[in-house]
Amino acid sequence: MSATPAVECRGLVHIYRAADLEVVTLQGLDMTVGTGELVAVVGASGSGKTTLMNVLAAVQRPSAGQATVGGRDLGALDERARDRYRREVVGYVWQEASLNLVPQLSAEENVQLPLLASHRPWADRRARAAELLRAFGLSHARRRRPAALSGGEQQLLALATALANWPRVLLADEPTAELNGDSAAHVLQHLRDQRRREGTTVLMVTHDRAAGRYVDRVLRIRDGRTSTEARAETGELVILDRTGRLQLPRHLIDEAGLGDLVRVRREESRLVVEPALEERPEDG
C-alpha cells in the first residue's frame, strides 16, 4: 500500500434541490484513501454515503470543496473528460448486480463489454475476461447468462466487469446487501484478494458489520462529514477535521451529559471536554 492518496476530499460540499428546498448532503467532508487501501464507509441513511459515491464516480458535481481521484480534480472535468474518467480511472459496482450486467450476454461477454468500449483488441478482451473469471471463481460459468447464476455469482461477475479496464479505484455501493452471510463473506474475501493481486484501491459503502474484518479501515459518516475511523490495531478514533471540528459519538455525548455548549481545557498532555456550567445572573 502506497502513502500517495488515491482518493482525497477536502471540504467537500454537495447541495441538491428538492421541490423548493435546498438539501445539504455533504457538509465539508474531509477524507483520504491511500493507493492500494481497502476502506469501508458506514453511516445511517441520509448521512451522505450515496452522495459521496456519486461525486467520486463523477455522476454528480460537488457544490464546493475539492474531490481528487487518481490525480483528477473532479470539479474541473468537462463532460468528455468525465466520460473518460469513468472509463479509465474508476470502476463502479451497484448494489443490485443486475445494473452492472447485460442480461442477454454471457458472463464472458459481460466482462469483455467495457474493454470493447475502450477499443481493446479482441485477443486482449478475451484474455482479460478469462483472467478475471478465473480470479473470481467463475470460469465454469463463462458461457452462462446472469439469470443462470446465483446471487453471489452475479455479484462476483459485477465486480469482474467493473474491474475489466484495470481501474485505479473500485467504488462499490453495498456489494453484499443482497447476499446471505456465506456469499457476502465470499465477495468480501475476493475484494481483498483483488487488492493483493493488482493493487486496486477499493472504497465501499456497506451496512455489513462483518466487512470490518476484511478492510484496512472503517470510516463513519455522520451529518455529511467523516466522524470516526476504526482500525484493527487502534480501535475507533474520532476524526479531527481541518477546521478543528470533532464529531463525538452520540453515546459518549449522552454519557457525559454534554449539551450545546461545552468547556474544553488542557490538562497536562491531554484535552478535557466537559459540560459547561451555566452561569445565571444574580437575583436583583
Side-chain angles (χ1 to χ4, degrees), residues 6 10 17 26 28 31 33 38 50 58 111 114 120 124 128 139 169 175 180 191 202 213 224 233 243 274:
R10 289 287 174 260
R17 288 189 174 274
L26 298 177
M31 181 182 71
V33 179
L38 175 53
T50 298
V111 179
R120 300 274 183 176
D124 291 352
R128 180 61 171 166
S139 294
V169 179
N180 62 34
L191 281 172
V202 180
R213 300 200 298 267
E233 64 272 19
T243 63
E274 58 190 5

Side-chain angles (χ1 to χ4, degrees), residues 29-31 41-44 47 218-230 236-241 245-250:
L29 180 141
D30 292 333
M31 181 182 71
V41 175
V42 302
S47 61
V218 177
L219 291 174
R220 181 171 295 278
I221 292 182
R222 193 175 72 191
D223 298 330
R225 294 194 292 266
T226 45
S227 60
T228 63
E229 171 184 306
E236 188 173 63
L237 302 173
V238 177
I239 294 174
L240 177 67
D241 71 17
R245 294 176 298 196
L246 289 172
Q247 286 203 55
L248 299 178
R250 172 51 59 183

Side-chain angles (χ1 to χ4, degrees), residues 23-180:
V23 180
V24 183
T25 52
L26 298 177
Q27 303 185 45
L29 180 141
D30 292 333
M31 181 182 71
T32 301
V33 179
T35 300
E37 267 199 295
L38 175 53
V39 174
V41 175
V42 302
S45 297
S47 61
K49 305 186 304 299
T50 298
T51 301
L52 172 64
M53 296 294 275
N54 286 340
V55 169
L56 297 181
V59 174
Q60 297 176 332
R61 290 183 181 274
S63 303
Q66 186 176 45
T68 304
V69 180
R72 267 76 162 184
D73 180 353
L74 301 187
L77 301 181
D78 59 24
E79 285 305 315
R80 185 172 181 179
R82 291 164 79 83
D83 288 340
R84 184 174 180 181
Y85 164 83
R86 287 189 289 263
R87 195 167 57 244
E88 298 179 358
V89 180
V90 295
Y92 196 94
V93 181
W94 299 89
Q95 179 175 335
E96 295 182 33
S98 60
L99 296 176
N100 279 83
L101 306 173
V102 178
Q104 295 84 4
L105 299 182
S106 68
E108 183 179 42
E109 290 166 338
N110 266 286
V111 179
Q112 288 189 31
L113 194 58
L115 296 160
L116 181 63
S118 297
H119 308 292
R120 300 274 183 176
W122 177 83
D124 291 352
R125 299 198 305 268
R126 185 179 182 186
R128 180 61 171 166
E131 175 188 20
L132 285 169
L133 291 174
R134 182 171 58 252
F136 284 90
L138 294 172
S139 294
H140 67 284
R142 68 187 185 90
R143 297 189 185 279
R144 297 182 192 172
R145 293 181 180 180
L149 304 178
S150 69
E153 288 174 332
Q154 288 185 32
Q155 194 65 49
L156 291 174
L157 180 58
L159 289 171
T161 301
L163 291 163
N165 273 322
W166 296 273
R168 300 184 194 180
V169 179
L170 177 67
L171 303 172
D173 186 6
E174 297 280 3
T176 62
E178 307 294 325
L179 306 177
N180 62 34

